[in-house]
């Protein structure tokens, strides 16, 4: 277990100053695998606090991206808002990967994405075009069908979804599974019976353990394998 240094960093994207909440493990002078966290449509940077701290304590450099700042968004009032801003958010995510890859404490060959709901859609979209993304953990999100036209690659994915999700139907998880299987991409998947959009209790605990195991396998151990 590592002690955590918490701070904020800023980078420019589209002429805007974008914030990253940083959760960095203390330790010997070495480069850590990095995870960029992406919140859902409610904004809610505070909701990323627990998973960010848990991962940082396990030796991951975690950066929570304030991607809404690119478009001045405070809340989502419907699908048109998402469609209108999605390209700008994608560019901001791309720029954040560039920024994180350049940090002295980060191994640029071991960068993953952790997304919730809308953030999971963004993470999966980025993974389809950005070769720097080595792993994705997606909570109750999906892969936009439009992105099939732009897909150039993919990476290992952990799919976590509630069977009773009324916001993002579980069919989105099965659609992503089909894409990954067709392309022979490694993935892990857990559908939680009775769970809706958002996890709590034992489901949240189990999802956290699966997340840690997956990122250890595809990011933390990548240096050993390499």
């Amino acid at each position: 277990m590592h002690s955590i240094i918490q701070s904020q960093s800023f980078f420019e994207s589209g002429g805007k100053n974008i914030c990253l909440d940083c959760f960095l493990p203390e330790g010997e002078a070495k480069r850590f695998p990095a995870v960029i966290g992406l919140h859902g449509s409610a904004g809610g940077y505070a909701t990323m606090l627990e998973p960010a701290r848990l991962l940082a304590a396990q030796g991951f450099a975690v950066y929570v991206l304030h991607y809404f700042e690119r478009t001045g968004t405070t809340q989502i009032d419907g699908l048109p808002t998402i469609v209108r801003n999605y390209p700008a958010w994608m560019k901001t995510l791309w720029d954040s990967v560039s920024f994180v890859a350049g940090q002295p404490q980060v191994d640029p060959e071991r960068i993953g994405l952790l997304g919730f709901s809308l953030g999971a859609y963004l993470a999966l979209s980025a993974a389809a075009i950005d070769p720097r993304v080595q792993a994705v953990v997606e909570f109750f999100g999906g892969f936009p069908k439009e992105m099939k036209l732009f897909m150039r690659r993919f990476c290992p994915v952990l799919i976590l979804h509630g069977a009773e999700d009324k916001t993002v139907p579980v069919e989105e998880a099965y659609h992503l599974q089909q894409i990954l299987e067709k392309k022979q991409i490694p993935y892990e998947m857990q559908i939680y019976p009775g769970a809706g959009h958002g996890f709590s209790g034992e489901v949240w605990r189990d999802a956290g353990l699966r997340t840690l195991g997956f990122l250890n396998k595809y990011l933390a151990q990548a240096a050993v394998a390499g």
Side-chain angles (χ1 to χ4, degrees):
M1 293 286 285
H2 294 261
S3 298
I4 302 167
I5 302 171
Q6 190 172 338
S7 63
Q8 287 189 325
S9 291
F10 297 86
F11 67 98
E12 187 175 298
S13 182
K16 301 290 182 65
N17 214 28
I18 309 297
C19 178
L20 285 164
D21 295 327
C22 310
F23 303 81
L24 305 179
E26 283 190 301
E28 62 273 23
K30 68 173 186 177
R31 291 176 179 254
F32 295 101
V35 176
I36 298 174
L38 300 160
H39 61 76
S41 61
Y45 306 108
T47 63
M48 304 295 292
L49 186 63
E50 182 184 355
R53 284 179 171 166
L54 287 172
L55 289 175
Q58 295 295 327
F60 294 89
V62 183
Y63 299 84
V64 177
L65 177 62
H66 292 224
Y67 62 90
F68 275 8
E69 292 180 349
R70 170 70 181 263
T71 52
T73 303
T74 54
Q75 62 181 11
I76 303 297
D77 55 8
L79 187 60
T81 303
I82 296 175
V83 173
R84 182 173 65 252
N85 293 321
Y86 204 87
W89 293 336
M90 282 287 293
K91 183 61 168 63
T92 303
L93 176 51
W94 181 284
D95 291 341
S96 76
V97 174
S98 299
F99 178 83
V100 167
Q103 299 307 295
Q105 60 270 56
V106 168
D107 180 349
E109 301 298 321
R110 295 187 292 160
I111 296 176
L113 304 178
L114 169 67
F116 292 82
S117 193
L118 172 59
Y121 278 93
L122 288 167
L124 291 165
S125 297
I129 60 175
D130 192 339
R132 300 170 299 177
V133 177
Q134 298 302 306
V136 170
V137 177
E138 71 95 3
F139 281 71
F140 33 86
F143 184 69
K145 295 174 176 60
E146 297 81 1
M147 283 301 299
K148 282 186 178 180
L149 300 173
F150 305 100
M151 184 186 299
R152 298 196 292 265
R153 48 87 70 186
F154 231 113
C155 65
V157 178
L158 172 59
I159 304 168
L160 300 166
H161 216 107
E164 305 303 321
D165 194 325
K166 305 301 183 187
T167 304
V168 179
V170 71
E171 284 74 23
E172 290 288 307
Y174 295 122
H175 172 249
L176 175 58
Q177 180 187 32
Q178 290 174 355
I179 293 173
L180 296 169
E181 289 188 347
K182 184 176 181 180
K183 294 191 170 295
Q184 298 184 318
I185 303 296
Y187 74 93
E188 297 176 14
M189 181 173 179
Q190 179 62 33
I191 306 299
Y192 293 100
H197 195 70
F199 299 157
S200 60
E202 183 57 32
V203 170
W204 174 248
R205 191 184 78 84
D206 181 79
L209 290 173
R210 291 177 186 274
T211 296
L212 180 59
F214 181 84
L215 291 175
N216 273 329
K217 180 178 180 179
Y218 288 103
L219 285 186
Q221 296 176 12
V224 177

